[in-house]
Amino acid sequence: MRSKGRISHDGKIRFARGEALLAPHLPHLPHLPMLQVLVPLLMAPFVLLLHPRGLAWAAATAASLMAFAIAVVLALTVVGDAPLTYQVGRWPAPYGIELRVDDFSALLLLVITGASSVTLLGGWQSLARALPSARQPYYFSAWLLALTGFVGIAVSADAFNIFVFMEVSSLASYVLIAGGPDRRALSAVFKYLIMGTVGATFYLVGIGLVYMMTGTLNLADMAVRISDVADTRPVLLAAGFITVGLALKAAIFPLHIWLPNAYAYAPHIATAFLAACATKVALYVLLRFDFVVLQHSASEHAVQFAGYLMPLAVLGILVGSGVAIFERDLKRLLAFSSVAQIGYMLLGASLVTIAGLNAAILHMFNHALAKGGLFLVVAAFCTVAASSQLEQIGGIARKMPWTFAAFVVCGLSLIGVPGTAGFLSKWYLVTAALDYGALGIALVGVILVSSLMAVVYIWRVVESACFAGEFGDDADSDSETAAVPPLLFIAVWIVALANLYFGLASALPIELAASAANLLMGNAP
Amino acid sequence: MTTLFGIFLLTLLMITGMAIVHTRNLFVAVMLMGIASLLIAASFFLLDAADVALTEAAIGAGISTVLFLGALALTSERERKRRRSLSTSSLLQFGIVGVVALIVIWATFDQPRLGSPSAPVQAHLTPWYIESTRDLIDIPNAVTAVLASFRGYDTLGEVVVVFTAGVGVLFLLGTGASSRAAGAPLSEDNAGLRHYLIPRILGRLLIPFILLLGFYVQFHGEYGPGGGFQAGAIIAASVILYALLEGEQRALSVIPQGVLLAMMAGGTLLFGAVGVAGIVLGSNFLDYSVLSEDPVNGQHWGILLIEMGIGITVAGVLISIFHAFAARATA
Amino acid sequence: MSAELAILASLALPLAGAVLIAFAGRIGVNVREAATMLIAGALALIVWSLVPAVAAGERPQVSVAEVLPGIELAFAVEPLGMLFAALASMLWIVNSLYSIGYMRGNEEANQTRFYALFAVSLGATVGVAFAANLFTLFLFYEVLTLSTYPLVAHKGDRQSVASARVYLVVLLSTSIVLFLPAIIWTYLVAGSGDFTLGGVLAGKLEGAGVGVLLLLFVFGIGKAAVMPVHPWLPAAMVAPTPVSALLHAVAVVKAGVFAITKVIIYIFGVEHLAGAFGADLLVFIAAFTIIAASIVALRQTNLKRLLAYSTVAQLSYVVMAIALLTPLAGIGAAVHIVAHAFGKITLFFAAGAIYTAAHKTEITELRGIGRRMPVTMMAFTIGALSMIGVPPTGGFVSKWYILAGAYQADSMLALVTILASTVLNAAYLLPIIYLAWFAREDEGDGTPPARVHGEAPWPAVLALGLTAALTVGFFVFHGAALDIARQLLAGF
Amino acid sequence: MDILGLYHYWIFAVLLMTGFFAIVAKPNLVKKLIGLSLFQSAVFLCYITMGKIEGGTAPIMGEGAELFSSPLPQVLILTAIVVSISTTALGLGLVLRIKDEYGSIEEDEIQGQDQP
């Protein structure tokens, strides 16, 4: 990555124009935003018909990898450059549906497709074990549909289209979670379904009210037209509905109650995928809407955003971390940690400064790396342990030292130790908070205290994995390769190394996040 | 006059809604829900939304009711009795709900009034849609034009939602075929209403007409209200009726599970393929005008094909879901 | 080999070595230990190859990556870092030799993990020594904490896990809650965290802020064990003795005082700090730590815990010396890092040898042990004398410079502290020597000796003999170290 | 005029919250889904209402008619109806599985079984 970047005089790392680099080889470049959605979308029905063992998985993985490749090209194309737009059906923008890939969506696309590819790649044995083979085509089809939904949201520039793809992703996510072996997965999914649908419907009401007042659904058009009606009651109400609805989907404290059980009882691999991107997509829409559409027209909007959401973010950080410390199940522990981490992102956004947004967006990327990796390791642990209870994995580090080492790396990234990706977003967040005046110092205190709490809960796991339990005391690594499927092992280490790589050479995500933050605050990139 | 009638319908709807929440008998609630759907459909009709009214009637009152009833047959028809006390939590919930309702009503006073021609909804995009439907697509039904062409991508998403639901239900419940022991003799349950002569005869007489209606709605969508969703739902309803009359097993032998799966996937793929053809022919995804020499003609072809895709998928999914539910009952 | 390449090689070698050792462990113990010795030797060679250039005034540097705009992962060799890296790399060889004897003698488990992580911590130490800015320093500081944690918890029983937890919690939490904010503050105020002669904060931060930031750094760098952030050091006594040596002499605590010294000289700037309130306070805190830790040491009955508190006191010598902000005291601080390392490693090696040979850990058990283990106890005596600061040991040299620096600074407090602590040092160390040499084994409660034993395994004895020789040798041949340390004067 | 012009929206508000009340207050899972349907139907009403234009007809261009209600909200609601039935179907599928596994469709009983 670095070789492509060059450092301009103002100290920012800029990329060579990707399009110029890639265009001669890629005739379909203008269609890429569309293909990003179409590849998983059209592969999903195919996968449903692939019954021979393993074929559905292979096809799904191939589609996901292809989507990842497209996301990489898109990211390199838009970084530090104008966004790509695409008129579906060639109908002009406010009338037809427009797709739009800018730095923010490019970053999110990388996260989504990357998470899907790595987890699918590593997840074959784990999923094959959890699901009877007759049900596998359905599952992998649902997986691709979830992927379709997520990327569909990320590339869309149309409020209602986002709703449609939100529903695609939600329904598919319910299926992914319901595949869990424990019956508690079912009750968890039902709760998720109810809360998720309520959230989506709130969003629908919100955009309905905005549509009523502006007559348009295109986000950019909406942002312009809303200034005439900015402080009318329906718009205020719409802001409320949209924020609450998306907060439900993003599991923002205290609307997170669906999340811990849903993550805990889903198949391990699906948890890794969803934990890496599901809530972030909702947060993405929230930021888009609140900043691009509402921010500049509704007076006092910044104050409201900060005033209502910042306390929630702080509470979420503290409560999430606090509960995680006392949690006995590894997956639930990590799920509560996710609640706290979403709090970080929200906290950055609620500062309503470029630096704060930059931190929030960068943390979306880095948290996906850390949490995705941790859940993948859990999946690896569970190939030998009976469950993800902390007692059950006691001493597992002696059985699989290398897998465990990956856990430590990702855990350190989650804590925010320097040299790992997580450190960079914490750094930005603290810097942004320090710019915020007296309250900022208190926020720094919160961030630091919760980092310590993260140390505590990660170290509880490390201690029990190293020193407790009854796994045999053989440090013989041959048993590890026998126990952990090789693909999963590779996937785990890809993510762990990515945590280290992006801790040192993070030019691409930082550049994307910085221009995304500028974009949201209304400055041209 | 129509406004007053509309208000009467809506008042009735509100009362029905409250009754739905209040009753402890789930069967009654489902039936009331069907009535509510019909009332909403009637209101939609008064509000000039013929397409939506048709859909709400077919899906809200029809398919949805069948599914709820199927679920009730497998679970229980009554909510469990519990000591009814006005606890603080239920008072709180009631209070919150009331306050939110009042806030929403408070907000309405800044809204454009019903039917106001100066409302942004009417003023901003609508004239373009009406005009372009005439000039660029040349079909009478503007709803179909917007649905299938101007916002065809939304519709693709919608088909994918339906497909996802089908995949999800089949994943959760298994396909009807696999959960039943092969070659089991037809049980009393499984035989449908075969022993009841009059409903059977009447039903058999009805089915061809329903099917015909379905196909009419499918292919007439460009001219009048209707289209793939409604047609798919109606065709599914006829198959479901057949299954109710003749038994699950026979319905499955007419359209086997494999075919249903192929319908689910094939319809979605057809829609996608039409869109991709746009790319291949040098334009954007879902641009139908390149499908033929004459752009307007191309739009016709595109709309026809994707509506077929929608209809096939919707019918396939709904029938599959019905079979999955029904298979539970007989298993 | 060019200097830049040497810097990178000295960082990469231990890390690659760790992987190599892990694989060598599968082949056989002898291969593994040979690999360790080889890598330690190679590292020392590479690091020492930089010495002539640095002594001649060169400052080789290399930048690896720009992590954030304005924040680089970069290395630069300056005199203090050179001294530290040279010391650590040399002691690693001795320590490896000793480890072989100790680990085999005590039949410890998980030895491969031990050697591999040892290599990682050495790599981190070199990283700390060569760091060109605060970010890089912090990065390797944390790596050092994390890679030594499993070493402290090596035994894996309840007690060592609990103690290791204290170790980790104190070091990580001080670094995250105090050190990191201090670093971010520095970057925000100064726009840079590069170690620059004269200090990057000079002229950018004034008033009470200077004092607060200084305290954030001093307490944030928990490895320096300034009271009250010292409890991790006695807790870590559960670790195997080579690890204690690593903590006390080679790497960890030295990284702490090294970091504080660097921050004062290169971040604040001596001149800039001279008038500030924080520096005086720091002298006071360090003086308090010296006296308090020595008094606590007096009351210890366990040999290793006693040595641990002695370390707490000795570290604050360095902190106090640098806080005096005079040139002579600065040299004293740098030389004391080296002198204390030689003395303390000898003491720990001796304590470990006693444990290996006799399984004794309490001071009262040491009656007459000098007759059974003459070499070990001779080395112990030399180390103890160095701690007290008696010639002809290295401890005398550094104490001399610190005293002279205290005169220069006209600090009565420092003078009194040094003298008082010398008395206290003698008071807790001399009784041990007396017991070992002049008390009779069967005195006291009259129980006969539990087992008959001689010296510890030969590699251990050889190692402690070597370090004892170094301790004495440093009294005579400290010229090179002094030459390098004198270059620090540019900062004063 | 206000009453006539806004009555639809008021009914929307009441229906929305009636459905929402069923979702949060009723422990029976099927009842929750019924509430969810009602909740979503209310939104349909809101959208369709805003598309109506005084004196217009359904946007199907025949002879004579010149003023049409907006087709866009109708299209959106067609989509939303289908989304709603899809959610309901999946939800009911889940209820059936829950009934199988737990033997109950009452939320509190299920929670009771999960936390022995």
Side-chain angles (χ1 to χ4, degrees):
Chain A
M1 296 287 147
R2 262 194 75 77
S3 63
K4 286 216 179 69
R6 62 191 158 77
I7 299 165
S8 65
H9 58 276
D10 58 348
K12 277 187 157 184
I13 304 162
R14 299 225 172 275
F15 277 83
R17 168 94 202 221
E19 194 174 354
L21 221 77
L22 297 160
H25 314 289
L26 289 168
H28 290 300
L29 189 69
H31 291 293
L32 278 186
M34 192 73 242
L35 291 176
Q36 178 77 83
V37 183
L38 284 181
V39 166
L41 190 155
L42 293 179
M43 198 53 126
F46 266 122
V47 165
L48 190 60
L49 305 175
L50 296 176
H51 273 280
R53 194 180 140 74
L55 205 57
W57 168 80
T61 310
S64 178
L65 283 170
M66 206 196 271
F68 181 57
I70 293 173
V72 170
V73 175
L74 279 174
L76 291 177
T77 310
V78 301
V79 63
D81 215 325
L84 289 176
T85 55
Y86 189 88
Q87 322 284 346
V88 183
R90 229 176 223 185
W91 299 115
Y95 308 106
I97 295 171
E98 187 185 34
L99 306 186
R100 184 186 174 85
V101 178
D102 55 24
D103 301 73
F104 195 7
S105 29
L107 187 78
L108 193 71
L109 286 174
L110 280 181
V111 169
I112 297 164
T113 54
S116 164
S117 304
V118 172
T119 46
L120 264 182
L121 196 67
W124 165 237
Q125 276 94 342
S126 180
L127 285 174
R129 211 169 299 181
L131 303 166
S133 67
R135 291 169 82 191
Q136 282 170 14
Y138 298 100
Y139 198 77
F140 289 113
S141 182
W143 185 296
L144 284 182
L145 290 167
L147 179 60
T148 308
F150 292 139
V151 296
I153 294 170
V155 300
S156 185
D158 185 284
F160 189 80
N161 190 245
I162 288 177
F163 167 76
V164 173
F165 279 90
M166 194 184 286
E167 286 297 312
V168 174
S169 69
S170 304
L171 289 184
S173 307
Y174 306 149
V175 179
L176 292 187
I177 295 169
D182 195 306
R183 68 175 182 177
R184 277 173 291 186
L186 295 171
S187 51
V189 172
F190 192 82
K191 191 181 225 170
Y192 185 16
L193 181 134
I194 293 289
M195 294 190 70
T197 310
V198 169
T201 310
F202 271 22
Y203 173 77
L204 187 63
V205 173
I207 58 172
L209 291 170
V210 177
Y211 171 60
M212 183 194 290
M213 302 310 288
T214 62
T216 186
L217 291 166
N218 184 288
L219 288 179
D221 196 26
M222 210 180 248
V224 174
R225 293 180 57 90
I226 205 169
S227 53
D228 299 339
V229 289
D231 286 317
T232 53
R233 292 174 191 173
V235 171
L236 292 179
L237 186 67
F241 268 116
I242 290 172
T243 306
V244 173
L246 292 171
L248 259 169
K249 296 227 126 191
I252 287 169
F253 181 87
L255 302 173
H256 67 281
I257 46 175
W258 57 267
L259 181 137
N261 274 347
Y263 281 11
Y265 301 120
H268 312 303
I269 294 295
T271 309
F273 173 43
L274 295 177
C277 54
T279 53
K280 291 179 190 70
V281 175
L283 195 63
Y284 161 88
V285 181
L286 181 65
L287 293 185
R288 268 259 128 110
F289 229 104
D290 271 328
F291 281 89
V292 175
V293 178
L294 300 173
Q295 157 95 349
H296 300 292
S297 14
S299 59
E300 305 292 303
H301 179 73
V303 180
Q304 290 165 15
F305 198 78
Y308 297 130
L309 291 183
M310 192 186 286
L312 292 184
V314 169
L315 277 174
I317 291 173
L318 295 177
V319 174
S321 310
V323 176
I325 288 177
F326 296 102
E327 195 48 67
R328 303 176 66 79
D329 180 275
L330 182 50
K331 281 173 89 179
R332 278 178 64 91
L333 182 154
L334 293 176
F336 274 108
S337 145
S338 284
V339 173
Q341 303 286 329
I342 292 158
Y344 282 128
M345 297 168 213
L346 193 63
L347 181 64
S350 67
L351 296 175
V352 200
T353 58
I354 290 190
L357 277 171
N358 192 354
I361 295 167
L362 187 64
H363 198 54
M364 285 186 179
F365 182 85
N366 292 337
H367 174 249
L369 282 179
K371 197 51 72 62
L374 287 171
F375 274 116
L376 269 180
V377 174
V378 174
F381 282 172
C382 287
T383 51
V384 292
S387 80
S388 56
Q389 294 284 317
L390 282 186
E391 301 95 82
Q392 300 279 352
I393 62 158
I396 205 159
R398 292 196 290 269
K399 181 138 186 87
M400 30 176 76
W402 288 102
T403 314
F404 173 74
F407 183 90
V408 174
V409 170
C410 297
L412 293 177
S413 185
L414 191 72
I415 296 168
V417 172
T420 57
F423 172 73
L424 299 183
S425 35
K426 286 249 167 90
W427 174 284
Y428 271 105
L429 198 57
V430 171
T431 329
L434 281 178
D435 276 346
Y436 202 68
L439 180 58
I441 307 253
L443 293 179
V444 171
V446 170
I447 296 165
L448 296 175
V449 167
S450 73
S451 299
L452 284 187
M453 291 161 103
V455 172
V456 175
Y457 60 70
I458 289 295
W459 232 258
R460 274 185 68 215
V461 182
V462 169
E463 267 186 15
S464 73
C466 284
F467 303 115
E470 60 268 24
F471 277 100
D473 205 358
D474 55 321
D476 159 25
S477 309
D478 290 338
S479 63
E480 178 172 12
T481 39
V484 182
L487 273 177
L488 182 54
F489 185 79
I490 292 168
V492 161
W493 268 99
I494 288 175
V495 181
L497 290 176
N499 271 299
L500 294 176
Y501 178 83
F502 286 111
L504 295 176
S506 51
L508 178 65
I510 284 180
E511 172 81 348
L512 285 172
S515 13
N518 272 306
L519 219 74
L520 289 187
M521 291 301 286
N523 306 343
Chain B
M1 192 60 216
T2 39
T3 316
L4 283 180
F5 184 55
I7 284 177
F8 167 71
L9 281 179
L10 289 178
T11 312
L12 214 54
L13 175 63
M14 182 175 72
I15 296 167
T16 317
M18 288 178 172
I20 290 169
V21 176
H22 184 261
T23 179
R24 303 198 145 264
N25 188 325
L26 292 172
F27 182 77
V28 171
V30 169
M31 282 306 162
L32 285 175
M33 193 66 215
I35 291 173
S37 280
L38 286 176
L39 285 172
I40 291 180
S43 307
F44 288 169
F45 202 83
L46 292 183
L47 292 167
D48 299 342
D51 279 276
V52 188
L54 184 59
T55 313
E56 178 67 30
I59 286 182
I63 301 287
S64 167
T65 307
V66 169
L67 291 181
F68 268 118
L69 288 180
L72 286 189
L74 292 165
T75 53
S76 66
E77 285 192 7
R78 291 193 67 84
E79 285 183 61
R80 195 171 49 80
K81 275 212 190 81
R82 47 176 63 73
R83 271 184 296 114
R84 184 130 180 117
S85 60
L86 276 176
S87 63
T88 42
S89 81
S90 70
L91 271 179
L92 189 72
Q93 286 160 339
F94 203 79
I96 291 174
V97 160
V99 168
V100 176
L102 285 177
I103 292 175
V104 177
I105 290 174
W106 164 80
T108 58
F109 289 98
D110 274 2
Q111 288 172 2
R113 302 301 186 259
L114 172 68
S116 157
S118 62
V121 171
Q122 310 297 346
H124 185 40
L125 300 182
T126 305
W128 188 90
Y129 282 131
I130 302 284
E131 226 163 87
S132 307
T133 303
R134 260 191 211 124
D135 301 344
L136 303 175
I137 306 208
D138 193 26
I139 59 172
N141 190 345
V143 174
T144 303
V146 178
L147 179 96
S149 188
F150 299 130
R151 293 185 68 91
Y153 181 50
D154 265 353
T155 310
L156 175 62
E158 182 184 355
V159 172
V160 175
V161 172
V162 175
F163 177 72
T164 310
V167 169
V169 171
L170 292 183
F171 175 78
L172 284 171
L173 302 181
T175 56
S178 61
S179 63
R180 193 175 305 115
L186 287 179
S187 69
E188 197 68 20
D189 291 340
N190 214 354
L193 301 173
R194 201 174 300 171
H195 302 301
Y196 303 90
L197 192 64
I198 294 173
R200 193 174 161 212
I201 301 285
L202 278 177
R204 295 198 97 168
L205 281 174
L206 259 177
I207 286 170
F209 288 105
I210 298 180
L211 265 179
L212 197 65
L213 175 67
F215 285 112
Y216 173 79
V217 168
Q218 170 81 53
F219 293 107
H220 195 255
E222 290 134 62
Y223 307 100
F229 288 106
Q230 298 91 331
I234 293 170
I235 291 167
S238 72
V239 176
I240 290 170
L241 183 60
Y242 182 77
L244 288 174
L245 293 173
E246 298 289 329
E248 261 279 314
Q249 207 67 288
R250 283 214 183 182
L252 265 179
S253 66
V254 176
I255 310 179
Q257 191 59 45
V259 174
L260 288 175
L261 271 187
M263 280 170 70
M264 284 169 61
T268 316
L269 285 174
L270 175 60
F271 198 147
V274 174
V276 171
I279 296 182
V280 173
L281 295 174
S283 183
N284 280 3
F285 184 69
L286 287 179
D287 183 0
Y288 314 131
S289 46
V290 289
L291 293 180
S292 158
E293 293 286 305
D294 173 24
V296 173
N297 201 16
Q299 289 286 350
H300 285 185
W301 273 107
I303 291 172
L304 188 75
L305 285 171
I306 67 135
E307 289 275 14
M308 268 174 66
I310 299 169
I312 292 171
T313 298
V314 170
V317 168
L318 291 178
I319 298 170
S320 291
I321 291 176
F322 172 77
H323 280 319
F325 276 43
R328 295 246 131 189
T330 54
Chain C
M1 178 154 34
S2 76
E4 285 74 23
L5 197 61
I7 295 175
L8 292 180
S10 63
L11 289 163
L13 185 73
L15 301 179
V19 179
L20 197 69
I21 291 169
F23 281 109
R26 286 174 157 193
I27 305 172
V29 272
N30 292 328
V31 182
R32 177 186 68 205
E33 276 144 29
T36 304
M37 290 303 292
L38 265 176
I39 293 158
L43 179 68
L45 270 181
I46 296 172
V47 170
W48 281 79
S49 77
L50 285 165
V51 170
V54 175
E58 279 178 44
R59 301 286 179 268
Q61 50 189 329
V62 55
S63 170
V64 177
E66 186 178 47
V67 176
L68 297 170
I71 299 177
E72 286 187 331
L73 182 66
F75 303 95
V77 186
E78 47 73 58
L80 196 60
M82 188 68 251
L83 203 61
F84 182 31
L87 171 74
S89 63
M90 178 169 70
L91 288 183
W92 188 23
I93 305 179
V94 190
N95 202 347
S96 303
L97 190 66
Y98 182 80
S99 302
I100 294 168
Y102 182 91
M103 300 302 278
R104 285 191 179 182
N106 287 304
E107 290 161 2
E108 296 271 351
N110 295 327
Q111 291 198 26
T112 305
R113 184 179 82 191
F114 172 87
Y115 286 109
L117 283 169
F118 219 102
V120 175
S121 26
L122 254 296
T125 310
V126 176
V128 169
F130 287 166
N133 54 41
L134 277 175
F135 168 77
T136 313
L137 178 79
F138 187 58
L139 172 72
F140 284 99
Y141 180 92
E142 295 290 50
V143 173
L144 187 58
T145 307
L146 294 166
S147 60
T148 45
Y149 163 80
L151 292 173
V152 174
H154 185 85
K155 282 209 186 88
D157 56 10
R158 191 177 292 272
Q159 195 205 348
S160 54
V161 170
S163 303
R165 193 185 294 155
V166 174
Y167 175 83
L168 190 78
V169 165
V170 173
L171 287 186
L172 264 191
S173 54
T174 51
S175 71
I176 290 178
V177 174
L178 304 171
F179 194 11
L180 182 59
I183 292 175
I184 297 180
W185 191 357
T186 307
Y187 272 96
L188 279 182
V189 171
S192 154
D194 291 350
F195 295 125
T196 319
L197 218 54
V200 287
L201 285 171
K204 301 239 173 78
L205 186 68
E206 301 295 338
V210 179
V212 175
L213 185 58
L214 182 65
L215 292 185
L216 278 182
F217 271 118
V218 169
F219 291 118
I221 302 173
K223 289 197 170 85
V226 175
M227 280 183 179
V229 288
H230 69 287
W232 63 271
L233 197 49
M237 280 304 96
V238 292
T241 305
V243 176
S244 302
L246 176 78
L247 297 178
H248 288 257
V250 181
V252 177
V253 297
K254 292 289 137 63
V257 288
F258 169 79
I260 289 184
T261 311
K262 274 199 99 146
V263 164
I264 288 180
I265 296 180
Y266 296 109
I267 295 296
F268 285 98
V270 173
E271 225 168 283
H272 175 229
L273 205 56
F277 164 70
D280 297 339
L281 189 61
L282 188 53
V283 174
F284 182 79
I285 293 170
F288 174 79
T289 306
I290 294 173
I291 301 296
S294 303
I295 291 173
V296 176
L298 266 179
R299 303 164 49 87
Q300 299 301 318
T301 53
N302 178 295
L303 183 56
K304 281 177 82 178
R305 284 184 72 85
L306 181 143
L307 293 179
Y309 278 103
S310 154
T311 304
V312 174
Q314 297 282 335
L315 291 174
S316 281
Y317 272 67
V318 180
V319 175
M320 189 173 78
I322 194 65
L324 287 172
L325 303 173
T326 58
L328 281 179
I331 295 177
V335 175
H336 195 64
I337 290 181
V338 181
H340 172 252
F342 290 151
K344 197 41 77 57
I345 201 172
T346 311
L347 289 173
F348 270 106
F349 280 178
I354 294 168
Y355 174 73
T356 311
H359 290 277
K360 287 177 177 168
T361 54
E362 303 301 308
I363 294 168
T364 48
E365 295 173 333
L366 300 182
R367 294 169 176 283
I369 201 162
R371 263 158 269 169
R372 289 191 184 276
M373 309 176 67
V375 181
T376 307
M377 284 320 291
M378 196 42 136
F380 186 91
T381 308
I382 291 170
L385 291 179
S386 179
M387 287 301 115
I388 302 167
V390 179
T393 56
F396 172 76
V397 181
S398 54
K399 239 177 200 175
W400 178 261
Y401 277 102
I402 297 176
L403 262 177
Y407 271 118
Q408 214 172 25
D410 233 3
S411 169
M412 210 52 207
L413 177 64
L415 284 174
V416 172
T417 307
I418 295 170
L419 293 177
S421 84
T422 306
V423 174
L424 286 167
N425 289 347
Y428 61 75
L429 284 167
L430 290 182
I432 303 173
I433 298 170
Y434 174 81
L435 274 182
W437 291 113
F438 304 112
R440 291 181 41 155
E441 244 181 299
D442 48 3
E443 245 174 278
D445 52 4
T447 46
R451 50 184 273 182
V452 178
H453 62 85
E455 290 281 1
W458 69 265
V461 177
L462 178 61
L464 63 91
L466 273 175
T467 56
L470 280 171
T471 310
V472 177
F474 192 69
F475 176 71
V476 188
F477 306 106
H478 57 268
L482 213 55
D483 280 347
I484 296 180
R486 275 222 180 85
Q487 294 197 23
L488 280 177
L489 291 183
F492 286 85
Chain D
M1 192 54 213
D2 261 4
I3 294 184
L4 292 184
L6 294 175
Y7 190 75
H8 285 66
Y9 295 123
W10 297 350
I11 295 292
F12 148 69
V14 173
L15 268 189
L16 188 77
M17 283 300 126
T18 311
F20 190 66
F21 180 74
I23 296 170
V24 293
K26 298 288 173 178
N28 184 292
L29 301 187
V30 174
K31 194 62 175 278
K32 274 178 190 287
L33 286 175
I34 293 175
L36 202 62
S37 294
L38 197 62
F39 179 67
Q40 291 174 311
S41 302
V43 184
F44 307 159
L45 183 65
C46 172
Y47 271 77
I48 297 298
T49 305
M50 66 177 93
K52 166 76 180 167
I53 191 166
E54 190 70 54
T57 62
I60 298 169
M61 289 161 242
E63 308 81 61
E66 269 311 310
L67 195 57
F68 303 106
S69 289
S70 178
L72 184 55
Q74 302 188 13
V75 171
L76 304 183
I77 288 319
L78 274 174
T79 305
I81 289 176
V82 176
V83 167
S84 163
I85 182 75
S86 302
T87 311
T88 305
L90 195 62
L92 285 173
L94 272 171
V95 169
L96 293 188
R97 280 291 303 280
I98 288 174
K99 171 79 177 174
D100 272 6
E101 303 277 347
Y102 289 88
S104 165
I105 54 164
E106 303 284 331
E107 195 177 37
D108 41 359
E109 290 179 4
I110 292 167
Q111 273 172 1
Q113 287 188 35
D114 274 350
Q115 287 146 3

